[in-house]
Amino acid sequence: MKKSAQAAAALLCASARALSITAKDGYKLSLITSKDTSTDDAVLLLHGRTWSSDPVWGTTGAIEELGRAAYAMDFRGFGRTQERAADGLLRPSTCASDLCEVL
């Protein structure tokens, strides 16, 4: 990511609170959430295969205006989540399993 994009992403995420969830295999998954999570209504934002949660975090203002909490998850090897698996692959089945862990 270019430096200007990194700076913009950091500003977007300044309003976020960092969370970590440990998957069944011990892998630490990173999430960010809005500061107000007092509601049971929530939206989980997911990024595409070549990004992190930073770009999607820009949509949280609209989500919070609707009275919902916003969460964004970084898949393995992206964003604030630790490095990829030893074989370097990110399998769809692993993404689905990690998503279930977060939910």
Side-chain angles (χ1 to χ4, degrees):
M1 194 181 318
K2 292 183 179 180
K3 287 187 179 186
S4 60
Q6 288 174 329
L11 285 174
L12 283 173
C13 294
S15 64
R17 183 177 57 159
L19 300 174
S20 179
I21 292 179
T22 303
K24 290 178 186 173
D25 64 0
Y27 202 94
K28 299 245 186 255
L29 300 166
S30 175
L31 287 101
I32 52 177
T33 183
S34 51
K35 291 184 179 179
D36 180 14
T37 56
S38 60
T39 178
D40 288 337
D41 291 331
V43 175
L44 177 60
L45 302 165
L46 302 174
H47 62 81
R49 194 158 171 137
T50 60
W51 283 94
S52 72
S53 61
D54 292 351
V56 298
W57 192 249
T59 63
T60 59
I63 292 167
E64 291 173 342
E65 284 180 20
L66 295 172
R68 293 175 172 86
Y71 292 84
M73 170 185 166
D74 283 325
F75 286 108
R76 295 178 186 225
F78 294 93
R80 287 164 285 284
T81 294
Q82 65 190 30
E83 66 278 345
R84 290 181 190 226
D87 63 8
L89 299 176
L90 181 61
R91 293 176 174 81
S93 60
T94 304
C95 291
S97 177
D98 289 346
L99 180 57
C100 288
E101 295 279 348
V102 169
L103 294 174

